[in-house]
Amino acid sequence: WCSPMRISLYTGRNPGRFVAGLEEPLTTRADGMGIPHGHPTLPSMLKDAGYRTAMFGKWHCGWLPWYSPLKIGFEVFFGNLDGAMDYFCHLDTLGQKDLYEGETPVELQGYYTELIADRAVDYVREQTTDQPFYMQVNWNAPHWPWEGPNDAEVGEEIERRYREGKDPFPLMHGDAGSLSKYAELVEAMDDGIGRILDALDEQGLADDTIVVFCSDNGGERYSFMWPFVGEKGDCTEGGIRVPFVLRWPAAIDAGQWSADTHVTMDWTATFLDAAGTAAHPDVPIDGVSLLPWLVEGAEHPGHSLFWRISSQGALRRGRYKLFIDRRPQTRLGNWPLYPGGRVSLYDMAGDGREHADLARSYPDLVADMQAEWDAYNATLLPYPADHAGLPEQLGPRLASSGNPALSRPD
C-alpha cells in the first residue's frame, strides 16, 4: 500500500510498528496518524550527517497541522499531502486543494507531473560537489485519475463532479482510462526522470550520485504485472514485487541484473550506510544494509522478508514463500470454497505465478516458516478489531451484499 511503504522508507521500520501504518491506505486526518513526532527518519539522519534534503511530489504520511515532510527532516518540500491528486485542478480525495510549497498552500497552473519535474530539476541545478544532498521525487503518476498532459478538460470535469456531490469518489475515475492513456501518464513521468538525469550530468554530479527508481506497491487496473498474480493491496507477487533500478556509476558497473530479493527498509539502511552514517542508536531499524553486496563483492544477506496486511501475510525465505490468506476464498469461479482462508507454500524459483502449492509436500518447512512469521508478527501492533480489511469485517459485508467469496485476482 501507498502510505505503509512510505512510512517504512522514511523510518526504516516495519509500518506495523506505527498506528498510521495499520491503515491501508492512510485516510484519517488527525494527530497520531502519521510518523511520530521526533522519530528519527532517513531525511533527518542524513541531514544530521551534513546532507541537504528535499522532497517533491506525493507525501501521504499524515496531514497538517500535525505532519508534513518538513517535520521529518526535509528542508525543502513542494507537492501534495494526500494519497492522490488531480493532475490539473490539484484537488485531493476530499475535493480540496492540495498543493503546497513547504507548509503553505499554493495555487499553480500546470500538469502535476511536469510541475514536480520542474522543481526537482531546479533543485539539482542549485547543487554542487561541495555538499552532498538527498532528493526524493515522489511521482503521483501513473496513479488515477487518468489524465495525460493534454487532458485539462478532464480535470475540469472531475472538479465539477466534486461540486455536484453526486459521485462519492470522483478522483478514482472509475469510468475512464485505457492502456493508451496509462502510457501517456508513464511517458510524462519518464520524460521528467530524463530531465532530472540530464540536470545531474550538467552539474557534474551524475558519477557519484545514487539514483534509484522504484514503485511503492504493485499496480492496479491498467498496470501490466504478468506473470504475477494479485495487485496493489495483496501479498501475492503482483502486490509486492516491483521494479527496482539503481544507478551509481562511481561504484557499480552498469548492465547488471539480480533476482535477489529485498524490502523497503533495506534501502533505508543502505542509504544511511552509503552516506557514512548509521541509524539512531535508540531506535533500531528493521532493514539490512545491502552496501557490502552492492559494492564490496559480499554475498547477498539472504535474510527472511516479512509482509503483513490486515487480511494477508507472507514470508520469503530464499526460494520459498509462505503465503497466508485469511479471506474466504474460491478457486475456479465459486468452487471449491475455502471459508477460513489458506496457508500456502510456493517455490519462487520456478513458480512465480504462485499456483503450485507445496504445503502438503513440505509440512515441516511450512511449520517453521509459519513460526518465524508469527514471531515477527508478535512484535508489531495488532490491527483494531473494527479494521475494515480484516476478514471478520469483510465476510459479513460480502454476505450482506449477496456477493460470492473472493477469487484470487489474476
Side-chain angles (χ1 to χ4, degrees):
W1 285 101
C2 318
S3 46
M5 180 273 181
R6 294 160 199 269
I7 291 171
S8 179
L9 175 64
Y10 296 138
T11 65
R13 307 179 74 198
N14 190 287
R17 303 198 187 284
F18 306 94
V19 174
L22 301 181
E23 288 205 350
E24 301 163 346
L26 182 62
T27 58
T28 301
R29 305 185 181 200
D31 194 9
M33 298 304 293
I35 296 173
H37 305 294
H39 192 290
T41 63
L42 177 59
S44 72
M45 289 184 280
L46 289 176
K47 182 179 176 182
D48 290 344
Y51 277 68
R52 294 171 176 160
T53 58
M55 179 186 151
F56 305 105
K58 172 179 168 179
W59 162 242
H60 204 186
C61 288
W63 284 265
L64 287 169
W66 311 283
Y67 306 101
S68 83
L70 300 188
K71 298 186 190 301
I72 69 162
F74 286 110
E75 299 167 313
V76 176
F77 169 61
F78 170 81
N80 66 300
L81 301 181
D82 198 9
M85 187 175 75
D86 186 87
Y87 289 86
F88 290 98
C89 61
H90 308 146
L91 298 180
D92 68 8
T93 54
L94 298 183
Q96 301 171 351
K97 294 291 185 179
D98 191 33
L99 192 60
Y100 287 84
E101 183 79 54
E103 296 183 352
T104 303
V106 294
E107 293 198 24
L108 299 175
Q109 299 295 316
Y111 186 62
Y112 190 36
T113 303
E114 294 171 351
L115 293 177
I116 293 172
D118 289 344
R119 293 304 306 275
V121 168
D122 288 346
Y123 184 79
V124 170
R125 287 174 175 163
E126 296 171 359
Q127 308 310 308
T128 67
T129 58
D130 298 332
Q131 184 177 4
F133 70 98
Y134 175 72
M135 180 180 74
Q136 191 162 316
V137 182
N138 293 355
W139 307 100
N140 192 56
H143 202 286
W144 38 260
W146 312 116
E147 299 170 353
N150 300 312
D151 293 331
E153 72 282 356
V154 179
E156 294 171 359
E157 167 64 15
I158 287 177
E159 189 169 17
R160 182 186 65 78
R161 292 183 184 185
Y162 271 109
R163 288 197 306 268
E164 293 179 348
K166 297 177 182 179
D167 187 333
F169 201 1
L171 207 60
M172 200 165 185
H173 219 184
D175 60 348
S178 64
L179 290 176
S180 59
K181 185 59 62 180
Y182 189 82
E184 289 181 30
L185 274 74
V186 173
E187 185 174 9
M189 176 181 65
D190 189 56
D191 288 344
I193 294 170
R195 291 176 56 201
I196 294 170
L197 296 179
D198 287 345
L200 288 170
D201 284 334
E202 293 165 6
Q203 295 300 110
L205 299 169
D207 193 52
D208 202 25
T209 296
I210 301 173
V211 177
V212 164
F213 176 82
C214 185
S215 178
D216 51 357
N217 45 240
E220 53 155 326
R221 282 194 262 183
Y222 300 110
S223 297
F224 181 71
M225 293 171 290
W226 176 267
F228 308 128
V229 298
E231 59 184 353
K232 173 181 178 177
D234 286 313
C235 287
T236 46
E237 295 297 282
I240 62 175
R241 191 189 296 196
V242 296
F244 192 97
V245 182
L246 181 144
R247 188 186 81 166
W248 189 7
I252 300 174
D253 292 335
Q256 300 185 70
W257 178 89
S258 174
D260 290 310
T261 52
H262 49 262
V263 291
T264 301
M265 298 90 76
D266 294 337
W267 288 97
T268 310
T270 302
F271 294 149
L272 292 173
D273 198 3
T277 189
H280 193 284
D282 297 333
V283 187
I285 63 177
D286 293 317
V288 175
S289 175
L290 302 174
L291 195 67
W293 171 67
L294 286 170
V295 303
E296 299 172 9
E299 292 292 321
H300 185 273
H303 52 307
S304 296
L305 309 180
F306 174 98
W307 292 270
R308 185 192 75 166
I309 60 173
S310 52
S311 63
Q312 303 169 42
L315 182 79
R316 180 72 181 266
R317 184 193 291 177
R319 64 189 294 166
Y320 291 104
K321 177 180 176 180
L322 187 79
F323 177 58
I324 303 163
D325 194 344
R326 298 176 56 220
R327 301 171 298 174
Q329 186 181 130
T330 64
R331 300 288 179 97
L332 303 176
N334 286 320
W335 180 91
L337 172 65
Y338 301 95
R342 302 184 70 193
V343 176
S344 307
L345 180 72
Y346 301 108
D347 182 352
M348 304 307 295
D351 181 28
R353 286 185 54 73
E354 298 170 276
H355 279 316
D357 183 4
L358 305 177
R360 286 187 295 179
S361 300
Y362 299 97
D364 292 342
L365 180 58
V366 169
D368 190 48
M369 293 181 70
Q370 178 77 67
E372 183 178 358
W373 189 92
D374 290 341
Y376 192 106
N377 185 56
T379 70
L380 306 180
L381 297 174
Y383 286 98
D386 61 350
H387 192 287
L390 290 173
E392 296 89 333
Q393 300 296 326
L394 178 62
R397 290 206 309 275
L398 287 172
S400 64
S401 68
N403 291 325
L406 294 179
S407 297
R408 296 178 68 191
D410 192 349

